Amino acid sequence: MLEKFYPDEYLDSAYDIDFKSWYDKGYRGVLFDIDNTLVRHGEPADERAEKLFENLRRIGMNYCLISNNQLPRVKPFADAVQAYYIENAHKPSKKNYLRACELMGTDSKTTLFVGDQLFTDIYGARRAGMTNILVKPIHPKEEIQIVLKRRLEKIVLYFYQKKRKPE
């Protein structure tokens, strides 16, 4: 039951991912959540985010931002990092994950998803058939509805990590 929310990988940060290695494995696109995945909630793209996307361009990896946030939040961030974007994505619906693949010229098997929430980001990526990486939230200050979901996520992550540990 809980397995449908389990990430394929769980890392400390989106900035810890070896995207060249994923490219070498045949992945050609990356979808990113923005808030608390790349920057603190509501903040603009910073130098670290800009360097990440420069590195992706250098590798040859396509990328798209997919956010449940609205256009005034998503477009300026996307413009700053020169990214395709989908705002108001209705995650975990798989529709816009697949639409993002179309924008990048990839498919669900050659696209990696990176996000910080299990019940929207990871569950949606799994529904779309994408390899996914859960990252720890950048900052603990979040909207109340997310704080409540984080409590449930802790339960799921407890069982995920228990299952992943060798006996």
Side-chain angles (χ1 to χ4, degrees), residues 4-124:
K4 65 184 171 187
F5 301 109
Y6 289 178
D8 293 314
E9 288 195 22
Y10 183 30
L11 300 173
D12 286 338
S13 170
Y15 299 97
D16 292 342
I17 300 169
D18 181 354
F19 290 104
K20 175 73 168 82
S21 173
W22 286 100
Y23 186 89
D24 292 345
K25 292 177 190 174
Y27 287 83
R28 295 297 180 259
V30 186
L31 303 183
F32 290 96
D33 176 53
I34 300 171
D35 288 318
N36 252 345
T37 297
L38 296 170
V39 293
R40 290 167 75 156
H41 187 82
E43 289 191 356
D46 58 16
E47 185 178 332
R48 185 167 73 155
E50 290 172 2
K51 285 182 180 178
L52 170 69
F53 288 94
E54 285 172 18
N55 183 50
L56 291 171
R57 284 190 295 276
R58 194 170 30 260
I59 292 168
M61 189 79 86
N62 292 311
Y63 49 86
C64 182
L65 305 173
I66 178 169
S67 175
N68 283 347
N69 234 310
Q70 303 302 310
L71 188 66
R73 166 65 181 131
V74 179
K75 186 177 182 337
F77 194 99
D79 289 348
V81 298
Q82 303 171 37
Y84 292 112
Y85 65 91
I86 296 175
E87 82 282 358
N88 196 24
H90 300 286
K91 295 181 287 183
S93 171
K94 67 181 183 178
K95 175 184 172 187
N96 284 311
Y97 288 81
L98 300 176
R99 187 170 144 235
C101 288
E102 289 176 21
L103 288 173
M104 296 185 301
T106 62
D107 60 36
S108 61
K109 298 298 177 210
T110 60
T111 301
L112 180 65
F113 177 85
V114 180
D116 71 298
Q117 291 188 51
L118 285 178
F119 301 126
T120 52
D121 296 334
I122 300 305
Y123 182 51

Side-chain angles (χ1 to χ4, degrees), residues 105-162:
T106 62
D107 60 36
S108 61
K109 298 298 177 210
T110 60
T111 301
L112 180 65
F113 177 85
V114 180
D116 71 298
Q117 291 188 51
L118 285 178
F119 301 126
T120 52
D121 296 334
I122 300 305
Y123 182 51
R126 288 182 61 88
R127 292 180 73 213
M130 289 180 187
T131 300
N132 57 78
I133 300 174
L134 177 69
V135 295
K136 293 178 182 173
I138 288 176
H139 193 265
K141 186 174 188 258
E142 298 180 294
E143 298 169 346
I144 187 65
Q145 71 273 17
I146 295 173
V147 170
L148 297 174
K149 283 194 278 185
R150 293 285 187 209
R151 291 181 181 166
L152 294 173
E153 284 184 357
K154 283 183 181 180
I155 295 166
V156 174
L157 287 171
Y158 168 81
F159 288 104
Y160 165 78
Q161 290 171 322
K162 188 174 178 180

